[in-house]
Amino acid sequence: MLIYVNNYLKCGVFEASPLHKRDFQFSIKRKWSLTCLPASLPGRHLTRNSVRSAKMSSQIMEKMECNVVVKEYLQDHPLSYSYEAAMEALSSLITRKNRGDKSSIGGKYGKMQRMSEYLKILGLEEHLDGLKIIHVAGTKGKGSTCTFCEAILRECGFQTGLFTSPHLIDVRERFRINGLDISEDKFLLYFWDCWNQLKEKVTEHLPMPPLFQFLTVLAFKIFICEKVDVAIIEVGLGGKRDSTNVIERPVVCGISSLGMDHTETLGNTLGEIASHKAGIFKPQIPAFTVPQLSEAMDAILQRAHELKVPLKVAAPLENKNLDGLKLSLSGDHQFINAGLAVSLCKCWLQRTGNWEKLFQNEADLPVSFLRGLSTAQISGRAQIVYDTYSESNNTLKLSSSSCGDLIFYLDGAHSPESMEVCAKWFSSAVKGNNKSSSSFKVEDLEEVWGNGHIQQEIGSMKESEKQLQQILLFNCMDVRDPQILLPRLVSTCASSGTYFAKALFVPSMSTYNKVTSGASVIPSDVCGRDLSWQFYLQRLWEKIIHGKEVGTFHDKGARMDNATILTPHEFLYEDASHCSPEDNYFACSAVMPSLPLTIKWLRDFVKENPSMKVQVLVTGSLHLVGDVLKLLKR
């Protein structure tokens, strides 16, 4: 059971956002002629000879809303059994086992040519312009920027579609309609439609699309059929050769903060990376970016000049602009993302002819903008979760001895710059949490409606007498450089006066060759697993802390068997009270055999030690953050 910290509640805003009726005419002209019903549905096996669905006439379609059609169609064609089959189908599209591996897709077409062919097969190509797209690239903050944009325009009364990546728990998170993940039924309807149409057209020169390309065309299919007024599309990787760059005429483009990431694909300099990101610019289409380092800004300006793009630098938002509210996404860096989102939304409203209709007499930051900025939600980015798991009934259990004893601070930072931002946020959050804990009571349970989800916030009992223990739970992919990430985390935390008791290095449950759903079985095997990468991370950490090589076991192909599994006592109960924080700064680190077992041990530890309050920072990988969230929700 999870209790989410809701920053919206903390801001002093306690009323639910009203539903907005459209009492005005938008100037958006949509030409929808695409049927929302699938061309075919799967049988028990994935074959080309799938059963054809009944086709509805265009006259009937004109009289019915798409969601009504979906509902009635699903009554005759139950699809719930096929969700895991859809995950198996998606898994078959993964063309590489590890993040750094190059995909090898054959055929005579290049990547962008293939994307155009897939769109033609699905009958989507001529409808893309009708989506009125906001296209956003960047290294850091592009997901947050897109989320802010979606919330702002939804609060303005528009029907919104949001496509982001990666997902944390379930693939449906990537496709949000009006702030909510697409329903399982609608996902299955659109998924099998795309799958079977493409499967029937597979040739030697045009194979099935790799995973992200398929998800991209699926997003376009969903948003077109759902008749959204605006589609906010987050770039997957880079920009110039990203699958989303099949978009030819967006309304406006944005580039969030840039840094050194994906160097194996985008280049080893900031200028090269910026050139890839600016590849989403289209001739004479307005674009916005945020303040960048000179090397990155020069590359962006050069690309804008070549395409005659009206480029502006969006100033970071300031607290004084928020009229007493606070951003719903935590961290000072979010003011940069919010500033970019405001500029993108203003431009979108102006270019679609809606700004004057809606806000001709309002200030620079309308009330609907403020509502969006203060309610936008995104999982796994500066997210705080109180774990109140109860073994007895697996339901919310509030007691003076357990409430708030185990708190997870989740952030999927995986670049040097984002790791520094994460460390600053964590240091600030734990200090604020500790200061405010004495002002809350166990009874203080509030529910508010925000961003389409019911969220709960719970204050903890007076705990000034409890011992605090910060623990790092870390993993990163082997295409990252932990020799850069971990020192940045150490130094930033230390400069803020935040010290940890333990560092735990744990393998993720996620695999690179399978797409799983939120209901997928969590692997329980802890034996025979290759933990050599985790031992390397541990050894590197000890070297950073002690300044020299230490006797930490590390061997390529090292595996954890039953004889070497650590016990909770060995990694959590060790008494380090005789050491100062600086002396014991992560002096005790451990390689954990599995993530589920680690979570269980942490829960057991706080249960058996009522005088201890444990604050766990989970970072290094969005995959790890997603895996932790999945476990906490069980």
Side-chain angles (χ1 to χ4, degrees):
M1 178 62 70
L2 293 170
I3 300 296
Y4 287 96
V5 170
N6 189 296
N7 293 312
Y8 188 38
L9 182 64
K10 285 188 175 182
C11 298
V13 182
F14 293 94
E15 42 180 280
S17 300
L19 295 176
H20 301 286
K21 294 184 178 180
R22 301 188 180 195
D23 52 2
F24 50 84
Q25 291 290 327
F26 297 129
S27 65
I28 300 175
K29 304 293 184 182
R30 293 189 302 247
K31 299 178 181 179
W32 304 113
S33 60
L34 185 68
T35 177
C36 293
L37 286 179
S40 56
L41 289 171
R44 293 186 177 275
H45 303 284
L46 303 176
T47 65
R48 292 191 186 185
N49 299 320
S50 302
V51 180
R52 284 283 180 182
S53 67
K55 294 184 179 179
M56 301 187 66
S57 71
S58 58
Q59 295 170 336
I60 295 177
M61 287 298 299
E62 289 174 356
K63 297 179 182 179
M64 302 179 70
E65 292 292 338
C66 188
N67 59 344
V68 176
V69 176
V70 171
K71 182 178 180 181
E72 292 186 355
Y73 186 83
L74 289 174
Q75 289 175 351
D76 297 326
H77 299 80
L79 298 175
S80 59
Y81 74 91
S82 62
Y83 193 72
E84 289 305 319
M87 298 303 101
E88 289 295 328
L90 282 175
S91 298
S92 71
L93 301 180
I94 297 176
T95 57
R96 54 189 178 185
K97 293 185 178 181
N98 292 297
R99 183 64 175 270
D101 296 343
K102 302 291 186 182
S103 60
S104 54
I105 303 299
K108 65 179 181 180
Y109 298 106
K111 181 177 182 179
M112 302 314 297
Q113 290 176 303
R114 287 198 308 272
M115 283 295 297
S116 295
E117 291 299 316
Y118 298 140
L119 292 175
K120 288 178 183 177
I121 291 171
L122 297 175
L124 301 175
E125 193 173 42
E126 64 185 76
H127 300 281
L128 279 186
D129 292 345
L131 287 178
K132 305 298 181 185
I133 292 170
I134 296 176
H135 200 193
V136 183
T139 304
K140 304 169 295 177
K142 62 181 185 290
S144 298
T145 298
C146 288
T147 301
F148 277 132
C149 285
E150 187 281 327
I152 289 171
L153 293 176
R154 176 162 40 84
E155 289 290 346
C156 290
F158 293 90
Q159 300 291 322
T160 62
L162 174 64
F163 176 59
T164 59
S165 60
H167 63 273
L168 296 182
I169 296 177
D170 195 291
V171 71
R172 292 183 294 111
E173 299 168 23
R174 296 176 184 242
F175 316 95
R176 302 184 79 178
I177 306 295
N178 296 325
L180 295 174
D181 299 346
I182 189 172
S183 69
E184 184 173 311
D185 286 342
K186 282 190 176 182
F187 173 82
L188 288 171
L189 187 76
Y190 297 129
F191 171 82
W192 290 119
D193 186 17
C194 289
W195 177 270
N196 287 300
Q197 287 191 65
L198 292 174
K199 200 73 173 177
E200 290 176 355
K201 299 294 185 178
V202 167
T203 67
E204 178 184 356
H205 299 295
L206 188 69
M208 282 293 284
L211 178 63
F212 188 74
Q213 291 183 39
F214 182 90
L215 295 176
T216 301
V217 296
L218 176 59
F220 294 143
K221 169 76 172 182
I222 291 170
F223 296 155
I224 288 171
C225 282
E226 290 296 310
K227 300 183 180 180
V228 299
D229 298 314
V230 55
I232 300 98
I233 307 295
E234 178 190 0
V235 168
L237 176 62
K240 183 186 302 181
R241 293 193 292 269
D242 185 72
S243 301
T244 65
N245 207 29
V246 72
I247 299 167
E248 294 184 353
R249 285 177 289 277
V251 175
V252 61
C253 297
I255 298 181
S256 64
S257 300
L258 299 180
M260 298 298 294
D261 195 22
H262 299 295
T263 54
E264 76 284 354
T265 302
L266 304 180
N268 295 313
T269 69
L270 199 55
E272 290 176 328
I273 292 173
S275 293
H276 275 277
K277 306 291 184 179
I280 67 169
F281 288 172
K282 300 301 183 295
Q284 300 180 14
I285 299 294
F288 293 84
T289 187
V290 300
Q292 308 278 5
L293 294 176
S294 59
E295 184 180 357
M297 188 62 79
D298 289 344
I300 294 173
L301 289 171
Q302 180 179 348
R303 180 63 176 171
H305 177 73
E306 292 170 356
L307 298 178
K308 297 181 180 180
V309 169
L311 176 68
K312 294 183 180 179
V313 177
L317 214 59
E318 297 182 15
N319 260 322
K320 64 182 182 181
N321 303 130
L322 296 175
D323 196 25
L325 300 178
K326 290 188 178 180
L327 295 178
S328 58
L329 304 183
S330 300
D332 292 341
H333 60 291
Q334 293 295 355
F335 286 94
I336 298 175
N337 301 328
L340 178 58
V342 166
S343 294
L344 291 171
C345 289
K346 281 186 178 181
C347 183
W348 185 90
L349 288 164
Q350 290 165 352
R351 297 200 73 217
T352 56
N354 289 290
W355 177 262
E356 291 186 358
K357 290 184 179 182
L358 295 175
F359 307 119
Q360 56 183 347
N361 296 320
E362 292 201 35
D364 289 339
L365 209 56
V367 174
S368 52
F369 277 52
L370 294 175
R371 283 197 300 260
L373 292 169
S374 61
T375 59
Q377 295 293 331
I378 184 169
S379 296
R381 278 80 162 180
Q383 181 180 5
I384 304 175
V385 178
Y386 288 87
D387 182 45
T388 55
Y389 174 82
S390 171
E391 265 189 35
S392 58
N393 55 15
N394 198 27
T395 59
L396 179 65
K397 180 179 179 181
L398 303 180
S399 68
S400 59
S401 63
S402 66
C403 177
D405 288 347
L406 183 57
I407 308 174
F408 290 88
Y409 296 78
L410 306 165
D411 191 83
H414 50 263
S415 70
E417 297 84 1
S418 60
M419 188 61 71
E420 183 175 340
V421 168
C422 169
K424 289 179 180 178
W425 162 74
F426 174 67
S427 297
S428 175
V430 296
K431 290 177 182 178
N433 194 321
N434 297 335
K435 287 180 181 179
S436 62
S437 62
S438 60
S439 63
F440 288 93
K441 297 180 181 179
V442 175
E443 305 85 57
D444 294 334
L445 182 63
E446 302 284 350
E447 288 190 359
V448 296
W449 184 265
N451 201 27
H453 301 280
I454 291 182
Q455 298 181 323
Q456 296 172 307
E457 176 167 337
I458 184 169
S460 56
M461 64 172 200
K462 292 184 179 181
E463 297 174 319
S464 56
E465 73 281 1
K466 287 199 172 186
Q467 294 181 347
L468 302 177
Q469 188 175 64
Q470 279 91 38
I471 293 177
L472 172 68
L473 192 59
F474 185 89
N475 188 36
C476 67
M477 293 186 292
D478 56 11
V479 295
R480 313 290 182 197
D481 189 351
Q483 297 188 70
I484 297 177
L485 299 181
L486 290 176
R488 189 71 66 95
L489 177 64
V490 172
S491 60
T492 305
C493 284
S495 64
S496 301
T498 300
Y499 299 96
F500 296 76
K502 306 288 185 290
L504 309 178
F505 300 101
V506 59
S508 296
M509 300 183 300
S510 302
T511 62
Y512 300 113
N513 58 359
K514 187 173 178 60
V515 179
T516 59
S517 71
S520 299
V521 176
I522 296 175
S524 58
D525 63 299
V526 298
C527 302
R529 178 175 295 181
D530 184 356
L531 296 173
S532 55
W533 178 248
Q534 281 66 47
F535 280 116
Y536 169 71
L537 293 175
Q538 181 193 27
R539 184 174 182 177
L540 175 60
W541 184 264
E542 297 286 354
K543 182 178 180 180
I544 293 169
I545 300 307
H546 298 288
K548 60 181 180 180
E549 297 285 351
V550 294
T552 306
F553 177 76
H554 172 59
D555 183 29
K556 186 172 179 59
R559 298 179 183 275
M560 185 75 77
D561 56 34
N562 288 327
T564 60
I565 290 180
L566 301 176
T567 67
H569 177 79
E570 290 175 299
F571 81 94
L572 283 175
Y573 288 77
E574 180 176 327
D575 182 16
S577 58
H578 61 282
C579 300
S580 66
E582 293 83 355
D583 293 335
N584 192 50
Y585 192 176
F586 283 130
C588 181
S589 63
V591 170
M592 308 311 297
S594 75
L595 187 56
L597 193 58
T598 303
I599 300 297
K600 179 182 183 300
W601 285 349
L602 287 168
R603 285 170 166 165
D604 290 343
F605 178 69
V606 296
K607 182 179 178 182
E608 296 170 13
N609 292 269
S611 63
M612 186 70 69
K613 182 176 181 180
V614 176
Q615 299 166 312
V616 183
L617 173 61
V618 183
T619 190
S621 164
L622 275 170
H623 290 292
L624 178 62
V625 167
D627 291 341
V628 170
L629 278 173
K630 183 182 291 188
L631 286 166
L632 295 179
K633 287 186 175 181
R634 295 299 171 95

